[in-house]
Amino acid sequence: MISPKSAFSKILRSCAFPASVLTTGRYWRTVLKLAGWAVLIFAALFALYCLVGGAVGWKHLAECWGEFTSGTDWIPDLGEDRYGSSSRLFAAAFFVRLAGLVFFGGVFISAVTNLFLSISDERTRGLFRYRRGFFRDHFVIIGNGEETEALICAIFKGEFGAYAGEYIVIMTHADVESARERLLSELASERENRRGIVFYYGDLDSKECLRDLAPWNAREIFVLGDADDLSGRDVRNMSAMRLLDDIVGRRRGNACASVKRIPVNVQICSVSTYSAIQKLDNFDRGDRGDVFLHVAPRIFNFYETWARRLWGFFGQRDGGAYHYRDLDYLAIRAADDPHHVHLVVVGLNQMGLALVLEALRICHYANFDENAGGPKTRVTVVDRDPARKLFFEANYPNLAQIYDVDVDFVCASVESPEVRELISSSARERHCLLTVAICFESDDAALAAGLSLPDVVFEHRDDDAKHRSMKPGGNTVLIRQARRSEISRKLDRDGDRYKYVRRFGYANPEFESEFIRDDMPKLVNALYGKWQDLVNLSQDEKKELKEGMHASWLKLEEYKRWSNRFQVDSYRIYLRMLGFFARKRQKNSAGGGEALPSFTGEAESRIADMEHRRWLAERTLSGTRFWDKPFPDDESGDTVQDKLYRLHNCIRKTSALPFAVLRKDIAPIVNAPVLLKDEGYEFIRISEEEE
């Protein structure tokens, strides 16, 4: 059922000029000015009519108005009785009629036409402004970035709350006309909803432009920046976040404490800058150290979102299945499993860097033997530019601390014999789970490089006997395609030679709100170090737990928030170790969701080891180093760290840690199945999924 407010909004959208005039003070003034001039001119003409014609009274006022609005018949008829024999009255009527013809046929029509043309031109160029109070509970998108289309589609689908025709206001510094045409053509299937999209031309550095967006009434704000803004885009996006907090605060005044903070999602384009922000203690705090009172900032990155979409927990499609294969696509579960993961990233650009960092965070498997030193995950970076290797090593200097992953650099092209032999040997190795990711920025170059890999990469074993000698599972090839083309679509559908080839990295994929929502990470943080059996908690106790998690999240340093987010990403691997796959519960789901995985017994010790190695890798990437300090008490689980110099005494192998420390870290993971079930997930055994 549509609300009266939504119905009224749709009526206004269906007629551009009335909506414009009704909601914009400047055009109200234009209309009133025209009406005022018409009244003044008519009053002067009526006075002349009375003086010349010698007639005064309401009757003659009506006659004068009739002459003034008589239209194209500008010569009075002498035979009309009302003129009688008075030539003076006839002359006055002639003059009034002529003046009315000039006014309505020239001045007035010209003014109205100019008003329409002005409105149309300003709307086309994005200069038209609605009255600020007109927008309520709307969505604001600042900048026309890579994910604008996907973001709008997600809003239409209700990813950010039920959508009932609310306005979506997009402000961009690019050419508004071309941006509108391109976006609306992509949203051709959303003909009804796209009427609510309003384009503004403006600069995100301008407070006045930001005020025009009425951010104090917005449901949610997204600061994307313009895709063609190559100069300081990240800095400008961050500045816009602070300006929005100031604007909303000044508008709300003293009522800010009792009003919910407006979510502001800020895109950071550089992976290095993004990683640096993740290390901060006070990302969402003002200049004086106080938490933002009016906006709730949350950063995201296009490239890291893609990396998490490939291998993270929230990489599912609407159907519930993962579109991209795991790096351990044969599911490393047992401690004696001989398989190991080998990821080859070709091109250490922004996308390549994001994939390397994601792999370092999640590739920690159950079969790693600390005493034997293996089998280790291998990450090989191929790039002809040695400066990129130096840049990576300068930003992440302590990779040697990650003792279960080896990172190698090869300064050569992917076509070189050295690289082709490296890839071929891994593709032939029976226990190597190989994934090759081509990350070139040029779609043509990436496609050519990906499809010209050694033939052995594309060989995979089928069920018939003639392929039994080939490696089971095949090898995965990921080819970055910035735009979705027919060739790349055919690759996705190919079930023969290119069965395990997938395109990725294209602009405007499906936008999953889980990547910028923190419901699960907040619960993980609330459960850290608390061994509560959530299965036996009542609904009221669970509700109390969820209400308290928001307050504790606000007090948390930014790098700890990211630690919780990255831990949730690893739930995909932890569940696979138990032989399970989690998916959003289907509406017509029948069976398959009854089993509940259990991280107890032997699984608990394995998960403790895997989680510590994941935590160590994540902290290493954030700049934390080993500190040779003893533990205060082996039973309490307390640790020692120096935040100023980023030192921590847990940066060491699992065997060197007290069990109390490990047990504190895995408390949320042990409860993960219950958390996921409460969040609408069901559990399917991997064998069932494959069947």
Side-chain angles (χ1 to χ4, degrees):
M1 179 107 184
I2 272 186
S3 65
K5 176 184 173 184
S6 301
F8 181 67
S9 298
K10 290 188 176 182
I11 291 172
L12 287 183
R13 282 187 217 140
S14 65
C15 186
F17 173 66
S20 307
V21 172
L22 284 172
T23 58
T24 308
R26 184 159 63 91
Y27 292 107
W28 260 117
R29 290 193 292 272
T30 303
V31 173
L32 291 175
K33 189 183 295 183
L34 284 173
W37 275 109
V39 171
L40 287 175
I41 292 172
F42 176 71
L45 291 173
F46 180 64
L48 179 65
Y49 186 80
C50 294
L51 289 174
V52 175
V56 180
W58 290 108
K59 173 185 175 183
H60 299 95
L61 179 64
E63 290 177 356
C64 184
W65 178 253
E67 300 292 352
F68 187 57
T69 60
S70 60
T72 58
D73 187 11
W74 59 281
I75 301 180
D77 187 355
L78 287 172
E80 291 188 24
D81 294 338
R82 59 192 173 113
Y83 298 120
S85 58
S86 174
S87 60
R88 294 176 58 193
L89 189 60
F90 175 81
F94 173 78
F95 187 78
V96 170
R97 188 171 291 196
L98 182 62
L101 179 65
V102 171
F103 181 78
F104 286 108
V107 177
F108 184 79
I109 296 300
S110 175
V112 172
T113 303
N114 288 337
L115 179 62
F116 271 102
L117 292 176
S118 175
I119 293 174
S120 177
D121 179 63
E122 291 192 3
R123 288 171 68 90
T124 300
R125 294 188 293 150
L127 300 176
F128 177 82
R129 293 293 186 266
Y130 287 86
R131 183 171 51 86
R132 291 172 183 171
F134 178 72
F135 296 117
R136 291 188 180 277
D137 199 34
H138 59 297
F139 296 92
V140 174
I141 300 176
I142 301 175
N144 188 20
E146 297 84 354
E147 299 203 8
T148 303
E149 177 201 334
L151 180 57
I152 293 174
C153 290
I155 292 172
F156 290 159
K157 291 194 313 185
E159 291 277 347
F160 302 96
Y163 181 75
E166 291 82 5
Y167 279 94
I168 300 174
V169 186
I170 303 174
M171 187 180 76
T172 176
H173 193 66
D175 180 61
V176 171
E177 185 175 6
S178 60
R180 180 191 288 109
E181 291 178 357
R182 184 172 59 253
L183 182 61
L184 295 186
S185 66
E186 295 288 340
L187 298 172
S189 61
E190 299 284 353
R191 182 174 295 276
E192 181 64 26
N193 286 330
R194 68 181 188 175
R195 289 185 167 210
I197 300 176
V198 177
F199 280 87
Y200 278 179
Y201 177 84
D203 195 335
L204 54 76
D205 295 327
S206 168
K207 273 192 174 183
E208 190 63 26
C209 291
L210 294 177
R211 286 193 189 97
D212 289 337
L213 303 173
W216 51 85
N217 289 332
R219 182 190 298 184
E220 193 146 356
I221 301 173
F222 302 88
V223 184
L224 305 182
D226 289 308
D228 58 353
D229 186 0
L230 304 178
S231 176
R233 180 176 173 184
D234 293 342
V235 175
R236 298 179 70 201
N237 287 357
M238 294 287 289
S239 299
M241 177 191 67
R242 295 188 176 275
L243 290 176
L244 287 167
D245 183 70
D246 183 61
I247 291 169
V248 175
R250 290 179 182 274
R251 181 76 177 193
R252 288 180 172 179
N254 295 328
C256 61
S258 59
V259 181
K260 182 181 177 182
R261 297 196 304 170
I262 298 173
V264 176
N265 305 289
V266 184
Q267 175 163 274
I268 303 299
C269 303
S270 167
V271 177
S272 299
T273 304
Y274 188 65
S275 298
I277 293 174
Q278 291 172 348
K279 303 174 186 178
L280 298 178
D281 294 340
N282 56 352
F283 162 71
D284 63 346
R285 299 175 188 272
D287 296 332
R288 292 174 296 178
D290 54 329
V291 176
F292 287 147
L293 297 176
H294 319 291
V295 301
R298 169 74 159 86
I299 62 170
F300 66 100
N301 174 268
F302 173 77
Y303 304 103
E304 188 189 76
T305 300
W306 254 113
R308 298 175 68 193
R309 184 177 286 116
L310 291 175
W311 306 314
F313 181 76
F314 295 120
Q316 298 170 326
R317 293 290 184 90
D318 288 339
Y322 289 106
H323 181 65
Y324 297 98
R325 296 211 298 175
D326 294 82
L327 290 172
D328 65 324
Y329 43 81
L330 294 184
I332 299 175
R333 306 181 199 174
D336 58 351
D337 193 317
H339 290 93
H340 70 276
V341 167
H342 185 193
L343 171 65
V344 179
V345 176
V346 182
L348 194 62
N349 48 25
Q350 297 289 334
M351 182 64 78
L353 179 58
L355 297 191
V356 171
L357 296 180
E358 180 70 7
L360 289 173
R361 293 188 186 106
I362 68 170
C363 290
H364 309 282
Y365 300 108
N367 64 341
F368 177 77
D369 186 345
E370 183 179 302
N371 296 322
K376 290 186 176 182
T377 296
R378 291 179 59 195
V379 177
T380 302
V381 181
V382 178
D383 197 300
R384 290 182 297 182
D385 188 356
R388 288 182 172 178
K389 173 186 176 183
L390 296 176
F391 178 82
F392 181 81
E393 292 175 341
N395 280 271
Y396 308 99
N398 304 310
L399 293 182
Q401 293 179 165
I402 307 175
Y403 57 90
D404 63 333
V405 181
D406 283 337
V407 182
D408 301 315
F409 289 87
V410 180
C411 293
S413 67
V414 68
E415 298 85 6
S416 67
E418 175 188 2
V419 174
R420 290 181 68 84
E421 177 55 33
L422 182 148
I423 294 174
S424 297
S425 62
S426 290
R428 285 190 295 265
E429 187 180 344
R430 189 171 185 82
H431 295 133
C432 177
L433 305 179
L434 174 66
T435 297
V436 181
I438 309 295
C439 301
F440 295 156
E441 294 180 0
S442 168
D443 287 1
D444 295 336
L447 198 61
L451 299 184
S452 62
L453 291 172
D455 289 339
V456 67
V457 174
F458 303 106
E459 295 177 356
H460 53 86
R461 191 176 79 183
D462 296 326
D463 290 335
D464 50 66
K466 67 179 181 179
H467 293 118
R468 292 299 182 188
S469 61
M470 296 181 183
K471 187 172 71 174
N475 305 287
T476 304
V477 177
L478 301 172
I479 302 177
R480 181 187 178 186
Q481 295 286 279
R483 295 172 181 82
R484 289 175 284 188
S485 64
E486 187 58 31
I487 297 178
S488 59
R489 287 191 183 97
K490 288 182 178 179
L491 282 177
D492 272 358
R493 295 192 293 265
D494 187 275
D496 192 13
R497 176 179 172 84
Y498 302 121
K499 181 178 180 179
Y500 298 120
V501 176
R502 290 288 182 272
R503 58 182 174 140
F504 80 103
Y506 45 86
N508 295 322
E510 294 181 4
F511 194 99
E512 297 88 356
S513 61
E514 288 92 344
F515 287 117
I516 55 176
R517 286 286 179 266
D518 286 324
D519 295 337
M520 278 294 295
K522 286 177 182 178
L523 282 170
V524 168
N525 177 65
L527 289 171
Y528 176 74
K530 300 176 182 177
W531 276 85
Q532 290 179 285
D533 187 359
L534 296 187
V535 176
N536 298 322
L537 286 184
S538 65
Q539 291 299 322
D540 290 337
E541 289 174 322
K542 288 182 181 179
K543 183 179 179 181
E544 182 181 352
L545 177 67
K546 290 185 177 182
E547 288 176 351
M549 70 184 186
H550 298 288
S552 60
W553 185 262
L554 287 176
K555 301 175 184 177
L556 202 63
E557 296 92 340
E558 185 65 18
Y559 73 92
K560 289 185 178 179
R561 293 180 185 176
W562 280 102
S563 183
N564 291 315
R565 291 164 185 153
F566 292 139
Q567 186 187 103
V568 174
D569 266 354
S570 294
Y571 286 177
R572 179 171 171 178
I573 293 176
Y574 297 160
L575 290 171
R576 282 171 60 81
M577 186 201 72
L578 297 178
F580 283 90
F581 162 75
R583 71 179 182 188
K584 277 288 187 181
R585 190 175 295 115
Q586 307 297 299
K587 292 182 180 179
N588 300 321
S589 177
E594 301 299 327
L596 196 65
S598 175
F599 291 103
T600 57
E602 182 186 351
E604 181 179 325
S605 60
R606 279 194 285 163
I607 283 293
D609 178 37
M610 294 167 66
E611 170 59 17
H612 174 67
R613 287 184 275 123
R614 183 211 64 80
W615 174 89
L616 185 146
E618 174 245 309
R619 284 299 175 90
T620 296
L621 295 177
S622 70
T624 305
R625 293 172 293 146
F626 168 69
W627 197 16
D628 189 14
K629 283 281 186 178
F631 292 94
D633 183 1
D634 287 351
E635 301 298 327
S636 66
D638 294 335
T639 60
V640 182
Q641 60 179 316
D642 187 320
K643 293 184 179 180
L644 178 62
Y645 295 102
R646 295 210 173 273
L647 303 173
H648 204 297
N649 70 336
C650 286
I651 303 294
R652 61 183 77 199
K653 292 184 177 182
T654 306
S655 59
L657 295 175
F659 183 71
V661 174
L662 298 173
R663 199 166 187 269
K664 183 188 292 186
D665 289 339
I666 65 170
I669 302 174
V670 172
N671 281 306
V674 182
L675 293 178
L676 293 172
K677 187 175 182 180
D678 289 343
E679 292 297 316
Y681 286 86
E682 62 183 357
F683 300 95
I684 310 296
R685 290 195 177 274
I686 291 179
S687 57
E688 294 178 21
E689 177 203 352
E690 292 171 348
E691 289 173 0

